[in-house]
Amino acid sequence: MPDQLSTSDVLPSDEVAALGSLYEAERTDGAASQSTVLALLAAGVAYISASSTFSEDIFARLGWAAVFVPIPVWIIAAFQSLIVVTAMIRSLSVRALEYKLFRHTSFTPEESEGMGLRALERVMNLGDEKGKWPHKLANVFSYAATLILAIGYTIYLVSQAPGLPVCARVAVFAFYALVLGLVLASWRSGGKLYEELAGPLARYL
């Protein structure tokens, strides 16, 4: 929360303008990342729905090679983790810039809490202490449900693919388990990186 602006904190007008330009660029990139995440989710759900609906045709046409059909879903999952982690890290710079800029306005600290990314974090950031539990649960559900859907979809296609020896089927399951571990590790590493980078910026957050 921005505190009262002191004389020593006053920045030159050209620096304020530079901060404003940087802030605008960061928010634009953030909006683009959000659009990308939504597009990826839509593409993944559409792909799963279509291939599940026509799974019998897929099995008949591809045979054992149907085990490779889930790969695009996991590519999307891995790339989504990178995009979301990038957005998390970008939010740190946006909030720091907002802190600096708000201190050069007439908004009170209480008013600034309801503006900009600082307010949105209460809805989308699981770690926000001021966030509401329904929003946190909705976030957990959306991400968990997406992951469970991808896992269930993969299990179904691999287990039902015809003409595949047991040992080969086990090997395919092991491959997808490794991919799942990679995706989870990406999220975990992203969370740690966020905390690491947030440390030096704590006074602005």
Side-chain angles (χ1 to χ4, degrees), residues 9 30 48 53 60-61 79 85 92 96 98 140-141 143-144 152 156 161 164 175 179:
D9 291 324
I48 290 175
T53 301
R61 292 174 179 272
F79 188 63
V85 169
L92 295 174
E98 285 183 350
V140 171
F141 174 77
Y143 285 109
Y156 168 71
L164 195 66
F175 166 75
V179 175

Side-chain angles (χ1 to χ4, degrees), residues 2 16 23 46 51 78 113 145-146 154 156 163 183:
V16 174
Y23 174 75
S51 56
E113 280 291 316
T146 302
T154 302
Y156 168 71
V183 172

Side-chain angles (χ1 to χ4, degrees):
M1 177 189 299
D3 47 18
Q4 297 299 320
L5 185 66
S6 64
T7 304
S8 60
D9 291 324
V10 175
L11 300 174
S13 58
D14 57 342
E15 185 170 346
V16 174
L19 288 175
S21 298
L22 180 58
Y23 174 75
E24 183 178 357
E26 290 281 18
R27 290 307 301 268
T28 300
D29 289 344
S33 295
Q34 186 176 27
S35 298
T36 301
V37 169
L38 292 175
L40 287 174
L41 283 174
V45 171
Y47 182 84
I48 290 175
S49 299
S51 56
S52 297
T53 301
F54 299 101
S55 59
E56 294 301 325
D57 290 337
I58 291 175
F59 293 144
R61 292 174 179 272
L62 298 181
W64 64 267
V67 298
F68 298 115
V69 173
I71 288 180
V73 173
W74 291 102
I75 292 175
I76 290 174
F79 188 63
Q80 183 191 18
S81 73
L82 299 177
I83 294 295
V84 174
V85 169
T86 300
M88 290 167 53
I89 294 173
R90 180 179 290 112
S91 71
L92 295 174
S93 62
V94 171
R95 290 178 66 181
L97 290 169
E98 285 183 350
Y99 177 93
K100 289 283 190 179
L101 292 172
F102 273 130
R103 287 163 65 87
H104 286 265
T105 69
S106 59
F107 291 113
T108 65
E110 291 73 20
E111 291 170 337
S112 66
E113 280 291 316
M115 304 175 67
L117 186 63
R118 197 176 304 274
L120 299 181
E121 288 278 286
R122 295 188 182 183
V123 178
M124 299 301 296
N125 189 346
L126 287 172
D128 195 297
E129 295 179 355
K130 296 184 179 180
K132 304 298 183 181
W133 277 106
H135 296 150
K136 293 184 178 184
L137 292 176
N139 274 287
V140 171
F141 174 77
S142 62
Y143 285 109
T146 302
L147 186 60
I148 291 172
L149 180 63
I151 293 173
Y153 168 78
T154 302
I155 291 175
Y156 168 71
L157 284 178
V158 175
S159 61
Q160 297 299 316
L164 195 66
V166 174
C167 58
R169 204 180 303 274
V170 171
V172 173
F173 274 124
F175 166 75
Y176 282 115
L178 289 175
V179 175
L180 171 61
L182 174 63
V183 172
L184 294 177
S186 177
W187 281 104
R188 180 178 176 82
S189 296
K192 290 183 176 180
L193 180 59
Y194 177 87
E195 294 177 356
E196 177 184 336
L197 297 177
L201 298 173
R203 67 182 295 252
Y204 303 119
L205 307 178

